[in-house]
Amino acid sequence: MKQTIAAITNGVDVTRMHETIEAVKEAPEAGHFHFRIQNRWVNGGENLSEVRPFTAGSKLIRHKTKLILAADEPDVLLGNDNGANPVEHLLHALASCVTTSMVYHAAARGISIDQVESLLEGNIDLRGFLALDPNIRNGYQGIRVTLRIKANVSDEQFRELSSFGPKFSPVFDSLVRGVPVDVLAERI
Amino acid sequence: MKQTIAAITNGVDVTRMHETIEAVKEAPEAGHFHFRIQNRWVNGGENLSEVRPFTAGSKLIRHKTKLILAADEPDVLLGNDNGANPVEHLLHALASCVTTSMVYHAAARGISIDQVESLLEGNIDLRGFLALDPNIRNGYQGIRVTLRIKANVSDEQFRELSSFGPKFSPVFDSLVRGVPVDVLAERI
C-alpha cells in the first residue's frame, strides 16, 4: 500500500505542487489556462462581473461558489460608491498576485513565512481620462508596492523572498511588460 | 435664485462631469488621484485587500463603506477557491474600466446606452509561473474583450462608442502600455 503524506508549507500542499510541476513538464498543454469573466453594466459607474468557469489543460473547471465582483466609482468620480473602482481592483489584483507568488515559491523551496502585508499605491492624473492633455496617459503613472514580511530567515533569504513576486507573479509581469488586448464589439 | 437642473445620461450626472472637467482645466492638481489598497495574507493562496482612502487633489476621501476584496486560488491551483484568483481580478478590473469609460464618455457626448455586457478571456501558460521555460512569460499572453452593446445609434456612432474603452480607460492603458512598478520590502 502506497502512502503519501502531504507536505504543507505556508498552507500550500508542496507534494501536489511538485506533482503539478512534473505533470506540466511531461505534458505542457496541461499548463495552458484560459480564464474568463463576464461583466454586466448596472448604471452609471456601477457594473458587476461574474467569474466564469476556466479551462486548465483540456478540463473546464467551475468555481465552487458563484463569484460576483462589483465595481463602482466614488461620489467625487460621479458614482454611488457601491464597490471599489476599476483602478483599485487593479491594485488588488497586483497585491494578491505578488503575495501568492511569493508564498507559493517560498513553499516550493521550504521557506516558511509567518506573515505578509502589503500597501499598494498608484498615481493617476485625471487629465488623461478627460482627454485634456495628450501628453498625459490615461492609466497609472506608477505603482509602489511596500511589502512587510515576517519570516525567520537570513538577510540573504529575505532578499530572495522579496524577489519572488516581481520574478514570478503573472499580474506583475502583465502590468510591467504590458499585454496585447483585442477588443471586439457587437450589437445586442 | 439660481437653479441647476441635473442632466443625467447613462446614470452619469453630466452637469457635474462638465464641472469636474472645468475644475481640472483651471487647477490641474485637482485631477491628481492617489489610490491605495492594503493587502493581508490569510494562508496558502488566500489573501484579503482593504481599499484605503484615496487622495483627490488635496482631499483625502474615505469610501462610504468598508470595501474588502478577497482572493484565493481554485483547487487545481492548490487553493481553497474562497475567491476569484488574482488574474481573474485583473480581467474584472479591465472589464469594469472599459465599460465605465465607455458609459461616461458616451454620456458626455449625449449618447444614450441601453445595455452593455462583456466577456473577457485571457490565456496563461503555467510554465512561465513555474519557471519551466524562460521563453514563456508569467503573465497573460493576450486578452480578448468582446463587448455587446445595445444603443439606438448609427453604425458610425456605434464604432465611436466601441472605441471609447480602448481610447480612455485607465486600466486598458495601464495593461496595454505597461506601468512601472516599484517593490520595497521590509521586515515585520
Side-chain angles (χ1 to χ4, degrees), chain A residues 31 34 39 49 63 81 92 118 123 126 139 145 173 182, chain B residues 31 34 39 49 63 77 81 92 118 123 126 139 145 173 182:
Chain A
H34 189 77
N39 185 277
S49 291
H63 287 282
D81 212 10
H92 169 58
S118 58
N123 290 310
L126 204 59
V145 177
D173 175 59
D182 286 330
Chain B
H34 189 77
N39 185 276
S49 291
H63 287 283
L77 293 170
D81 211 10
H92 169 58
S118 57
N123 290 310
L126 205 58
V145 178
D173 175 61
D182 286 329

mmCIF file with all atom_site columns, all heavy atoms in Angstrom, chain A residues 31 34 39 49 63 81 92 118 123 126 139 145 173 182, chain B residues 31 34 39 49 63 77 81 92 118 123 126 139 145 173 182:
data_model
loop_
_atom_site.group_PDB
_atom_site.id
_atom_site.type_symbol
_atom_site.label_atom_id
_atom_site.label_alt_id
_atom_site.label_comp_id
_atom_site.label_asym_id
_atom_site.label_entity_id
_atom_site.label_seq_id
_atom_site.pdbx_PDB_ins_code
_atom_site.Cartn_x
_atom_site.Cartn_y
_atom_site.Cartn_z
_atom_site.occupancy
_atom_site.B_iso_or_equiv
_atom_site.pdbx_formal_charge
_atom_site.auth_seq_id
_atom_site.auth_comp_id
_atom_site.auth_asym_id
_atom_site.auth_atom_id
_atom_site.pdbx_PDB_model_num
ATOM 1   N N   . GLY A 1 31  ? -0.592  22.820 -18.731 1.00 0.00 ? 31  GLY A N   1
ATOM 2   C CA  . GLY A 1 31  ? -0.349  24.129 -18.111 1.00 0.00 ? 31  GLY A CA  1
ATOM 3   C C   . GLY A 1 31  ? -1.016  25.290 -18.837 1.00 0.00 ? 31  GLY A C   1
ATOM 4   O O   . GLY A 1 31  ? -0.821  26.443 -18.474 1.00 0.00 ? 31  GLY A O   1
ATOM 5   N N   . HIS A 1 34  ? -7.044  29.129 -19.372 1.00 0.00 ? 34  HIS A N   1
ATOM 6   C CA  . HIS A 1 34  ? -7.847  30.115 -20.084 1.00 0.00 ? 34  HIS A CA  1
ATOM 7   C C   . HIS A 1 34  ? -8.873  30.613 -19.067 1.00 0.00 ? 34  HIS A C   1
ATOM 8   O O   . HIS A 1 34  ? -9.736  29.855 -18.626 1.00 0.00 ? 34  HIS A O   1
ATOM 9   C CB  . HIS A 1 34  ? -8.522  29.411 -21.279 1.00 0.00 ? 34  HIS A CB  1
ATOM 10  C CG  . HIS A 1 34  ? -9.212  30.319 -22.214 1.00 0.00 ? 34  HIS A CG  1
ATOM 11  N ND1 . HIS A 1 34  ? -8.542  31.090 -23.146 1.00 0.00 ? 34  HIS A ND1 1
ATOM 12  C CD2 . HIS A 1 34  ? -10.533 30.605 -22.377 1.00 0.00 ? 34  HIS A CD2 1
ATOM 13  C CE1 . HIS A 1 34  ? -9.418  31.788 -23.851 1.00 0.00 ? 34  HIS A CE1 1
ATOM 14  N NE2 . HIS A 1 34  ? -10.634 31.514 -23.404 1.00 0.00 ? 34  HIS A NE2 1
ATOM 15  N N   . ASN A 1 39  ? -18.989 40.512 -17.659 1.00 0.00 ? 39  ASN A N   1
ATOM 16  C CA  . ASN A 1 39  ? -19.366 41.743 -16.963 1.00 0.00 ? 39  ASN A CA  1
ATOM 17  C C   . ASN A 1 39  ? -20.690 42.279 -17.483 1.00 0.00 ? 39  ASN A C   1
ATOM 18  O O   . ASN A 1 39  ? -21.001 42.143 -18.663 1.00 0.00 ? 39  ASN A O   1
ATOM 19  C CB  . ASN A 1 39  ? -18.253 42.791 -17.142 1.00 0.00 ? 39  ASN A CB  1
ATOM 20  C CG  . ASN A 1 39  ? -18.506 44.063 -16.343 1.00 0.00 ? 39  ASN A CG  1
ATOM 21  O OD1 . ASN A 1 39  ? -19.236 44.952 -16.766 1.00 0.00 ? 39  ASN A OD1 1
ATOM 22  N ND2 . ASN A 1 39  ? -17.916 44.129 -15.167 1.00 0.00 ? 39  ASN A ND2 1
ATOM 23  N N   . SER A 1 49  ? -19.138 41.804 -12.372 1.00 0.00 ? 49  SER A N   1
ATOM 24  C CA  . SER A 1 49  ? -18.545 40.695 -13.125 1.00 0.00 ? 49  SER A CA  1
ATOM 25  C C   . SER A 1 49  ? -18.890 39.379 -12.455 1.00 0.00 ? 49  SER A C   1
ATOM 26  O O   . SER A 1 49  ? -18.839 39.269 -11.228 1.00 0.00 ? 49  SER A O   1
ATOM 27  C CB  . SER A 1 49  ? -17.014 40.805 -13.169 1.00 0.00 ? 49  SER A CB  1
ATOM 28  O OG  . SER A 1 49  ? -16.601 41.893 -13.958 1.00 0.00 ? 49  SER A OG  1
ATOM 29  N N   . HIS A 1 63  ? -15.831 27.224 -10.531 1.00 0.00 ? 63  HIS A N   1
ATOM 30  C CA  . HIS A 1 63  ? -15.537 27.599 -9.154  1.00 0.00 ? 63  HIS A CA  1
ATOM 31  C C   . HIS A 1 63  ? -16.592 26.984 -8.241  1.00 0.00 ? 63  HIS A C   1
ATOM 32  O O   . HIS A 1 63  ? -17.719 26.748 -8.654  1.00 0.00 ? 63  HIS A O   1
ATOM 33  C CB  . HIS A 1 63  ? -15.534 29.126 -9.009  1.00 0.00 ? 63  HIS A CB  1
ATOM 34  C CG  . HIS A 1 63  ? -14.324 29.758 -9.637  1.00 0.00 ? 63  HIS A CG  1
ATOM 35  N ND1 . HIS A 1 63  ? -13.094 29.748 -9.035  1.00 0.00 ? 63  HIS A ND1 1
ATOM 36  C CD2 . HIS A 1 63  ? -14.170 30.410 -10.815 1.00 0.00 ? 63  HIS A CD2 1
ATOM 37  C CE1 . HIS A 1 63  ? -12.218 30.373 -9.822  1.00 0.00 ? 63  HIS A CE1 1
ATOM 38  N NE2 . HIS A 1 63  ? -12.839 30.775 -10.913 1.00 0.00 ? 63  HIS A NE2 1
ATOM 39  N N   . ASP A 1 81  ? -20.460 54.742 -5.176  1.00 0.00 ? 81  ASP A N   1
ATOM 40  C CA  . ASP A 1 81  ? -19.514 54.138 -4.228  1.00 0.00 ? 81  ASP A CA  1
ATOM 41  C C   . ASP A 1 81  ? -19.983 52.767 -3.725  1.00 0.00 ? 81  ASP A C   1
ATOM 42  O O   . ASP A 1 81  ? -19.731 52.411 -2.577  1.00 0.00 ? 81  ASP A O   1
ATOM 43  C CB  . ASP A 1 81  ? -19.276 55.100 -3.048  1.00 0.00 ? 81  ASP A CB  1
ATOM 44  C CG  . ASP A 1 81  ? -17.859 54.980 -2.475  1.00 0.00 ? 81  ASP A CG  1
ATOM 45  O OD1 . ASP A 1 81  ? -17.006 54.313 -3.098  1.00 0.00 ? 81  ASP A OD1 1
ATOM 46  O OD2 . ASP A 1 81  ? -17.613 55.541 -1.387  1.00 0.00 ? 81  ASP A OD2 1
ATOM 47  N N   . HIS A 1 92  ? -5.615  45.608 -6.299  1.00 0.00 ? 92  HIS A N   1
ATOM 48  C CA  . HIS A 1 92  ? -5.889  44.351 -5.572  1.00 0.00 ? 92  HIS A CA  1
ATOM 49  C C   . HIS A 1 92  ? -5.357  43.144 -6.351  1.00 0.00 ? 92  HIS A C   1
ATOM 50  O O   . HIS A 1 92  ? -4.762  42.233 -5.772  1.00 0.00 ? 92  HIS A O   1
ATOM 51  C CB  . HIS A 1 92  ? -7.393  44.206 -5.320  1.00 0.00 ? 92  HIS A CB  1
ATOM 52  C CG  . HIS A 1 92  ? -7.791  42.849 -4.825  1.00 0.00 ? 92  HIS A CG  1
ATOM 53  N ND1 . HIS A 1 92  ? -7.276  42.295 -3.665  1.00 0.00 ? 92  HIS A ND1 1
ATOM 54  C CD2 . HIS A 1 92  ? -8.630  41.914 -5.342  1.00 0.00 ? 92  HIS A CD2 1
ATOM 55  C CE1 . HIS A 1 92  ? -7.801  41.082 -3.488  1.00 0.00 ? 92  HIS A CE1 1
ATOM 56  N NE2 . HIS A 1 92  ? -8.610  40.832 -4.494  1.00 0.00 ? 92  HIS A NE2 1
ATOM 57  N N   . SER A 1 118 ? 0.872   44.055 2.596   1.00 0.00 ? 118 SER A N   1
ATOM 58  C CA  . SER A 1 118 ? 1.412   44.974 1.584   1.00 0.00 ? 118 SER A CA  1
ATOM 59  C C   . SER A 1 118 ? 0.506   46.178 1.432   1.00 0.00 ? 118 SER A C   1
ATOM 60  O O   . SER A 1 118 ? -0.715  46.106 1.623   1.00 0.00 ? 118 SER A O   1
ATOM 61  C CB  . SER A 1 118 ? 1.580   44.259 0.241   1.00 0.00 ? 118 SER A CB  1
ATOM 62  O OG  . SER A 1 118 ? 0.359   43.722 -0.205  1.00 0.00 ? 118 SER A OG  1
ATOM 63  N N   . ASN A 1 123 ? -0.602  56.408 -8.762  1.00 0.00 ? 123 ASN A N   1
ATOM 64  C CA  . ASN A 1 123 ? -0.988  57.769 -9.163  1.00 0.00 ? 123 ASN A CA  1
ATOM 65  C C   . ASN A 1 123 ? -1.629  57.786 -10.536 1.00 0.00 ? 123 ASN A C   1
ATOM 66  O O   . ASN A 1 123 ? -1.098  57.202 -11.479 1.00 0.00 ? 123 ASN A O   1
ATOM 67  C CB  . ASN A 1 123 ? 0.256   58.665 -9.234  1.00 0.00 ? 123 ASN A CB  1
ATOM 68  C CG  . ASN A 1 123 ? 0.811   58.933 -7.860  1.00 0.00 ? 123 ASN A CG  1
ATOM 69  O OD1 . ASN A 1 123 ? 0.073   59.317 -6.964  1.00 0.00 ? 123 ASN A OD1 1
ATOM 70  N ND2 . ASN A 1 123 ? 2.104   58.699 -7.700  1.00 0.00 ? 123 ASN A ND2 1
ATOM 71  N N   . LEU A 1 126 ? -6.084  62.689 -13.800 1.00 0.00 ? 126 LEU A N   1
ATOM 72  C CA  . LEU A 1 126 ? -7.400  62.636 -14.456 1.00 0.00 ? 126 LEU A CA  1
ATOM 73  C C   . LEU A 1 126 ? -7.414  63.362 -15.810 1.00 0.00 ? 126 LEU A C   1
ATOM 74  O O   . LEU A 1 126 ? -8.304  63.120 -16.639 1.00 0.00 ? 126 LEU A O   1
ATOM 75  C CB  . LEU A 1 126 ? -8.464  63.236 -13.530 1.00 0.00 ? 126 LEU A CB  1
ATOM 76  C CG  . LEU A 1 126 ? -9.916  62.781 -13.738 1.00 0.00 ? 126 LEU A CG  1
ATOM 77  C CD1 . LEU A 1 126 ? -10.052 61.277 -13.582 1.00 0.00 ? 126 LEU A CD1 1
ATOM 78  C CD2 . LEU A 1 126 ? -10.861 63.492 -12.760 1.00 0.00 ? 126 LEU A CD2 1
ATOM 79  N N   . GLY A 1 139 ? -3.699  55.888 -17.833 1.00 0.00 ? 139 GLY A N   1
ATOM 80  C CA  . GLY A 1 139 ? -3.524  54.881 -16.790 1.00 0.00 ? 139 GLY A CA  1
ATOM 81  C C   . GLY A 1 139 ? -2.626  55.337 -15.648 1.00 0.00 ? 139 GLY A C   1
ATOM 82  O O   . GLY A 1 139 ? -2.323  56.531 -15.498 1.00 0.00 ? 139 GLY A O   1
ATOM 83  N N   . VAL A 1 145 ? 4.705   49.208 -4.444  1.00 0.00 ? 145 VAL A N   1
ATOM 84  C CA  . VAL A 1 145 ? 4.312   48.080 -3.586  1.00 0.00 ? 145 VAL A CA  1
ATOM 85  C C   . VAL A 1 145 ? 5.257   48.076 -2.384  1.00 0.00 ? 145 VAL A C   1
ATOM 86  O O   . VAL A 1 145 ? 6.473   47.992 -2.561  1.00 0.00 ? 145 VAL A O   1
ATOM 87  C CB  . VAL A 1 145 ? 4.468   46.735 -4.345  1.00 0.00 ? 145 VAL A CB  1
ATOM 88  C CG1 . VAL A 1 145 ? 4.121   45.558 -3.435  1.00 0.00 ? 145 VAL A CG1 1
ATOM 89  C CG2 . VAL A 1 145 ? 3.629   46.713 -5.617  1.00 0.00 ? 145 VAL A CG2 1
ATOM 90  N N   . ASP A 1 173 ? 3.970   40.687 -14.030 1.00 0.00 ? 173 ASP A N   1
ATOM 91  C CA  . ASP A 1 173 ? 4.519   40.595 -15.386 1.00 0.00 ? 173 ASP A CA  1
ATOM 92  C C   . ASP A 1 173 ? 3.580   41.252 -16.404 1.00 0.00 ? 173 ASP A C   1
ATOM 93  O O   . ASP A 1 173 ? 4.022   42.002 -17.279 1.00 0.00 ? 173 ASP A O   1
ATOM 94  C CB  . ASP A 1 173 ? 4.749   39.125 -15.738 1.00 0.00 ? 173 ASP A CB  1
ATOM 95  C CG  . ASP A 1 173 ? 5.209   38.936 -17.171 1.00 0.00 ? 173 ASP A CG  1
ATOM 96  O OD1 . ASP A 1 173 ? 6.264   39.485 -17.530 1.00 0.00 ? 173 ASP A OD1 1
ATOM 97  O OD2 . ASP A 1 173 ? 4.508   38.263 -17.944 1.00 0.00 ? 173 ASP A OD2 1
ATOM 98  N N   . ASP A 1 182 ? -7.244  42.648 -27.395 1.00 0.00 ? 182 ASP A N   1
ATOM 99  C CA  . ASP A 1 182 ? -8.116  42.806 -28.567 1.00 0.00 ? 182 ASP A CA  1
ATOM 100 C C   . ASP A 1 182 ? -9.522  43.142 -28.099 1.00 0.00 ? 182 ASP A C   1
ATOM 101 O O   . ASP A 1 182 ? -10.029 42.483 -27.192 1.00 0.00 ? 182 ASP A O   1
ATOM 102 C CB  . ASP A 1 182 ? -8.192  41.495 -29.369 1.00 0.00 ? 182 ASP A CB  1
ATOM 103 C CG  . ASP A 1 182 ? -6.907  41.247 -30.145 1.00 0.00 ? 182 ASP A CG  1
ATOM 104 O OD1 . ASP A 1 182 ? -6.255  42.228 -30.533 1.00 0.00 ? 182 ASP A OD1 1
ATOM 105 O OD2 . ASP A 1 182 ? -6.557  40.064 -30.332 1.00 0.00 ? 182 ASP A OD2 1
ATOM 106 N N   . GLY B 1 31  ? -6.916  67.169 -10.415 1.00 0.00 ? 31  GLY B N   1
ATOM 107 C CA  . GLY B 1 31  ? -7.067  65.891 -11.116 1.00 0.00 ? 31  GLY B CA  1
ATOM 108 C C   . GLY B 1 31  ? -6.039  64.846 -10.721 1.00 0.00 ? 31  GLY B C   1
ATOM 109 O O   . GLY B 1 31  ? -5.993  63.758 -11.291 1.00 0.00 ? 31  GLY B O   1
ATOM 110 N N   . HIS B 1 34  ? -4.609  59.597 -6.074  1.00 0.00 ? 34  HIS B N   1
ATOM 111 C CA  . HIS B 1 34  ? -3.664  58.650 -5.480  1.00 0.00 ? 34  HIS B CA  1
ATOM 112 C C   . HIS B 1 34  ? -4.512  57.570 -4.819  1.00 0.00 ? 34  HIS B C   1
ATOM 113 O O   . HIS B 1 34  ? -5.219  57.844 -3.853  1.00 0.00 ? 34  HIS B O   1
ATOM 114 C CB  . HIS B 1 34  ? -2.805  59.407 -4.459  1.00 0.00 ? 34  HIS B CB  1
ATOM 115 C CG  . HIS B 1 34  ? -1.652  58.639 -3.920  1.00 0.00 ? 34  HIS B CG  1
ATOM 116 N ND1 . HIS B 1 34  ? -0.492  58.437 -4.638  1.00 0.00 ? 34  HIS B ND1 1
ATOM 117 C CD2 . HIS B 1 34  ? -1.476  58.009 -2.736  1.00 0.00 ? 34  HIS B CD2 1
ATOM 118 C CE1 . HIS B 1 34  ? 0.347   57.713 -3.902  1.00 0.00 ? 34  HIS B CE1 1
ATOM 119 N NE2 . HIS B 1 34  ? -0.222  57.444 -2.759  1.00 0.00 ? 34  HIS B NE2 1
ATOM 120 N N   . ASN B 1 39  ? -3.165  44.946 1.597   1.00 0.00 ? 39  ASN B N   1
ATOM 121 C CA  . ASN B 1 39  ? -3.444  43.509 1.472   1.00 0.00 ? 39  ASN B CA  1
ATOM 122 C C   . ASN B 1 39  ? -2.845  42.753 2.655   1.00 0.00 ? 39  ASN B C   1
ATOM 123 O O   . ASN B 1 39  ? -1.791  43.123 3.178   1.00 0.00 ? 39  ASN B O   1
ATOM 124 C CB  . ASN B 1 39  ? -2.860  42.999 0.148   1.00 0.00 ? 39  ASN B CB  1
ATOM 125 C CG  . ASN B 1 39  ? -3.214  41.546 -0.114  1.00 0.00 ? 39  ASN B CG  1
ATOM 126 O OD1 . ASN B 1 39  ? -2.565  40.623 0.369   1.00 0.00 ? 39  ASN B OD1 1
ATOM 127 N ND2 . ASN B 1 39  ? -4.286  41.325 -0.872  1.00 0.00 ? 39  ASN B ND2 1
ATOM 128 N N   . SER B 1 49  ? -7.725  42.204 0.522   1.00 0.00 ? 49  SER B N   1
ATOM 129 C CA  . SER B 1 49  ? -7.346  43.610 0.406   1.00 0.00 ? 49  SER B CA  1
ATOM 130 C C   . SER B 1 49  ? -8.434  44.484 1.023   1.00 0.00 ? 49  SER B C   1
ATOM 131 O O   . SER B 1 49  ? -9.625  44.231 0.810   1.00 0.00 ? 49  SER B O   1
ATOM 132 C CB  . SER B 1 49  ? -7.193  44.036 -1.059  1.00 0.00 ? 49  SER B CB  1
ATOM 133 O OG  . SER B 1 49  ? -6.075  43.424 -1.652  1.00 0.00 ? 49  SER B OG  1
ATOM 134 N N   . HIS B 1 63  ? -14.073 55.846 1.379   1.00 0.00 ? 63  HIS B N   1
ATOM 135 C CA  . HIS B 1 63  ? -15.234 55.205 0.767   1.00 0.00 ? 63  HIS B CA  1
ATOM 136 C C   . HIS B 1 63  ? -16.353 55.146 1.803   1.00 0.00 ? 63  HIS B C   1
ATOM 137 O O   . HIS B 1 63  ? -16.085 55.111 3.007   1.00 0.00 ? 63  HIS B O   1
ATOM 138 C CB  . HIS B 1 63  ? -14.866 53.797 0.291   1.00 0.00 ? 63  HIS B CB  1
ATOM 139 C CG  . HIS B 1 63  ? -13.998 53.801 -0.932  1.00 0.00 ? 63  HIS B CG  1
ATOM 140 N ND1 . HIS B 1 63  ? -14.479 54.051 -2.197  1.00 0.00 ? 63  HIS B ND1 1
ATOM 141 C CD2 . HIS B 1 63  ? -12.664 53.611 -1.090  1.00 0.00 ? 63  HIS B CD2 1
ATOM 142 C CE1 . HIS B 1 63  ? -13.491 54.007 -3.071  1.00 0.00 ? 63  HIS B CE1 1
ATOM 143 N NE2 . HIS B 1 63  ? -12.374 53.732 -2.427  1.00 0.00 ? 63  HIS B NE2 1
ATOM 144 N N   . LEU B 1 77  ? -5.187  24.882 -8.570  1.00 0.00 ? 77  LEU B N   1
ATOM 145 C CA  . LEU B 1 77  ? -4.002  25.713 -8.319  1.00 0.00 ? 77  LEU B CA  1
ATOM 146 C C   . LEU B 1 77  ? -3.714  25.785 -6.809  1.00 0.00 ? 77  LEU B C   1
ATOM 147 O O   . LEU B 1 77  ? -3.138  26.746 -6.305  1.00 0.00 ? 77  LEU B O   1
ATOM 148 C CB  . LEU B 1 77  ? -4.174  27.107 -8.939  1.00 0.00 ? 77  LEU B CB  1
ATOM 149 C CG  . LEU B 1 77  ? -4.203  27.091 -10.483 1.00 0.00 ? 77  LEU B CG  1
ATOM 150 C CD1 . LEU B 1 77  ? -4.620  28.457 -11.039 1.00 0.00 ? 77  LEU B CD1 1
ATOM 151 C CD2 . LEU B 1 77  ? -2.837  26.683 -11.067 1.00 0.00 ? 77  LEU B CD2 1
ATOM 152 N N   . ASP B 1 81  ? -10.368 28.048 -3.148  1.00 0.00 ? 81  ASP B N   1
ATOM 153 C CA  . ASP B 1 81  ? -11.410 28.621 -4.023  1.00 0.00 ? 81  ASP B CA  1
ATOM 154 C C   . ASP B 1 81  ? -12.359 29.545 -3.247  1.00 0.00 ? 81  ASP B C   1
ATOM 155 O O   . ASP B 1 81  ? -13.548 29.619 -3.562  1.00 0.00 ? 81  ASP B O   1
ATOM 156 C CB  . ASP B 1 81  ? -12.196 27.479 -4.704  1.00 0.00 ? 81  ASP B CB  1
ATOM 157 C CG  . ASP B 1 81  ? -12.705 27.887 -6.093  1.00 0.00 ? 81  ASP B CG  1
ATOM 158 O OD1 . ASP B 1 81  ? -12.309 28.948 -6.604  1.00 0.00 ? 81  ASP B OD1 1
ATOM 159 O OD2 . ASP B 1 81  ? -13.537 27.141 -6.651  1.00 0.00 ? 81  ASP B OD2 1
ATOM 160 N N   . HIS B 1 92  ? -11.467 41.431 -14.300 1.00 0.00 ? 92  HIS B N   1
ATOM 161 C CA  . HIS B 1 92  ? -12.579 42.259 -13.791 1.00 0.00 ? 92  HIS B CA  1
ATOM 162 C C   . HIS B 1 92  ? -12.202 43.744 -13.815 1.00 0.00 ? 92  HIS B C   1
ATOM 163 O O   . HIS B 1 92  ? -13.015 44.603 -14.199 1.00 0.00 ? 92  HIS B O   1
ATOM 164 C CB  . HIS B 1 92  ? -12.947 41.815 -12.374 1.00 0.00 ? 92  HIS B CB  1
ATOM 165 C CG  . HIS B 1 92  ? -13.880 42.765 -11.680 1.00 0.00 ? 92  HIS B CG  1
ATOM 166 N ND1 . HIS B 1 92  ? -15.119 43.108 -12.183 1.00 0.00 ? 92  HIS B ND1 1
ATOM 167 C CD2 . HIS B 1 92  ? -13.744 43.478 -10.518 1.00 0.00 ? 92  HIS B CD2 1
ATOM 168 C CE1 . HIS B 1 92  ? -15.707 43.973 -11.366 1.00 0.00 ? 92  HIS B CE1 1
ATOM 169 N NE2 . HIS B 1 92  ? -14.894 44.214 -10.365 1.00 0.00 ? 92  HIS B NE2 1
ATOM 170 N N   . SER B 1 118 ? -20.007 42.341 -21.343 1.00 0.00 ? 118 SER B N   1
ATOM 171 C CA  . SER B 1 118 ? -18.722 41.993 -21.961 1.00 0.00 ? 118 SER B CA  1
ATOM 172 C C   . SER B 1 118 ? -18.234 40.653 -21.439 1.00 0.00 ? 118 SER B C   1
ATOM 173 O O   . SER B 1 118 ? -18.510 40.262 -20.304 1.00 0.00 ? 118 SER B O   1
ATOM 174 C CB  . SER B 1 118 ? -17.673 43.074 -21.711 1.00 0.00 ? 118 SER B CB  1
ATOM 175 O OG  . SER B 1 118 ? -17.497 43.292 -20.332 1.00 0.00 ? 118 SER B OG  1
ATOM 176 N N   . ASN B 1 123 ? -5.321  34.096 -21.804 1.00 0.00 ? 123 ASN B N   1
ATOM 177 C CA  . ASN B 1 123 ? -4.522  32.866 -21.763 1.00 0.00 ? 123 ASN B CA  1
ATOM 178 C C   . ASN B 1 123 ? -3.252  33.031 -20.945 1.00 0.00 ? 123 ASN B C   1
ATOM 179 O O   . ASN B 1 123 ? -2.515  33.997 -21.135 1.00 0.00 ? 123 ASN B O   1
ATOM 180 C CB  . ASN B 1 123 ? -4.091  32.477 -23.191 1.00 0.00 ? 123 ASN B CB  1
ATOM 181 C CG  . ASN B 1 123 ? -5.266  32.020 -23.995 1.00 0.00 ? 123 ASN B CG  1
ATOM 182 O OD1 . ASN B 1 123 ? -6.047  31.175 -23.548 1.00 0.00 ? 123 ASN B OD1 1
ATOM 183 N ND2 . ASN B 1 123 ? -5.430  32.593 -25.178 1.00 0.00 ? 123 ASN B ND2 1
ATOM 184 N N   . LEU B 1 126 ? 1.179   28.125 -17.660 1.00 0.00 ? 126 LEU B N   1
ATOM 185 C CA  . LEU B 1 126 ? 1.716   27.934 -16.312 1.00 0.00 ? 126 LEU B CA  1
ATOM 186 C C   . LEU B 1 126 ? 3.229   27.669 -16.294 1.00 0.00 ? 126 LEU B C   1
ATOM 187 O O   . LEU B 1 126 ? 3.884   27.825 -15.263 1.00 0.00 ? 126 LEU B O   1
ATOM 188 C CB  . LEU B 1 126 ? 0.976   26.772 -15.631 1.00 0.00 ? 126 LEU B CB  1
ATOM 189 C CG  . LEU B 1 126 ? 0.935   26.759 -14.105 1.00 0.00 ? 126 LEU B CG  1
ATOM 190 C CD1 . LEU B 1 126 ? 0.298   28.016 -13.547 1.00 0.00 ? 126 LEU B CD1 1
ATOM 191 C CD2 . LEU B 1 126 ? 0.207   25.529 -13.574 1.00 0.00 ? 126 LEU B CD2 1
ATOM 192 N N   . GLY B 1 139 ? 2.892   36.183 -17.298 1.00 0.00 ? 139 GLY B N   1
ATOM 193 C CA  . GLY B 1 139 ? 1.582   36.845 -17.328 1.00 0.00 ? 139 GLY B CA  1
ATOM 194 C C   . GLY B 1 139 ? 0.713   36.402 -18.489 1.00 0.00 ? 139 GLY B C   1
ATOM 195 O O   . GLY B 1 139 ? 0.973   35.387 -19.146 1.00 0.00 ? 139 GLY B O   1
ATOM 196 N N   . VAL B 1 145 ? -11.454 41.032 -25.365 1.00 0.00 ? 145 VAL B N   1
ATOM 197 C CA  . VAL B 1 145 ? -12.649 41.665 -24.803 1.00 0.00 ? 145 VAL B CA  1
ATOM 198 C C   . VAL B 1 145 ? -13.733 41.631 -25.873 1.00 0.00 ? 145 VAL B C   1
ATOM 199 O O   . VAL B 1 145 ? -13.536 42.158 -26.968 1.00 0.00 ? 145 VAL B O   1
ATOM 200 C CB  . VAL B 1 145 ? -12.373 43.142 -24.435 1.00 0.00 ? 145 VAL B CB  1
ATOM 201 C CG1 . VAL B 1 145 ? -13.640 43.821 -23.897 1.00 0.00 ? 145 VAL B CG1 1
ATOM 202 C CG2 . VAL B 1 145 ? -11.216 43.261 -23.445 1.00 0.00 ? 145 VAL B CG2 1
ATOM 203 N N   . ASP B 1 173 ? -5.246  51.246 -20.672 1.00 0.00 ? 173 ASP B N   1
ATOM 204 C CA  . ASP B 1 173 ? -3.963  51.898 -20.955 1.00 0.00 ? 173 ASP B CA  1
ATOM 205 C C   . ASP B 1 173 ? -2.842  51.309 -20.096 1.00 0.00 ? 173 ASP B C   1
ATOM 206 O O   . ASP B 1 173 ? -1.744  51.033 -20.595 1.00 0.00 ? 173 ASP B O   1
ATOM 207 C CB  . ASP B 1 173 ? -4.109  53.406 -20.697 1.00 0.00 ? 173 ASP B CB  1
ATOM 208 C CG  . ASP B 1 173 ? -2.788  54.145 -20.846 1.00 0.00 ? 173 ASP B CG  1
ATOM 209 O OD1 . ASP B 1 173 ? -2.213  54.112 -21.947 1.00 0.00 ? 173 ASP B OD1 1
ATOM 210 O OD2 . ASP B 1 173 ? -2.312  54.731 -19.857 1.00 0.00 ? 173 ASP B OD2 1
ATOM 211 N N   . ASP B 1 182 ? 7.379   49.731 -8.571  1.00 0.00 ? 182 ASP B N   1
ATOM 212 C CA  . ASP B 1 182 ? 8.494   49.636 -7.616  1.00 0.00 ? 182 ASP B CA  1
ATOM 213 C C   . ASP B 1 182 ? 8.080   48.749 -6.458  1.00 0.00 ? 182 ASP B C   1
ATOM 214 O O   . ASP B 1 182 ? 6.968   48.895 -5.938  1.00 0.00 ? 182 ASP B O   1
ATOM 215 C CB  . ASP B 1 182 ? 8.818   51.017 -7.036  1.00 0.00 ? 182 ASP B CB  1
ATOM 216 C CG  . ASP B 1 182 ? 9.542   51.892 -8.048  1.00 0.00 ? 182 ASP B CG  1
ATOM 217 O OD1 . ASP B 1 182 ? 10.278  51.337 -8.884  1.00 0.00 ? 182 ASP B OD1 1
ATOM 218 O OD2 . ASP B 1 182 ? 9.349   53.117 -8.005  1.00 0.00 ? 182 ASP B OD2 1
#
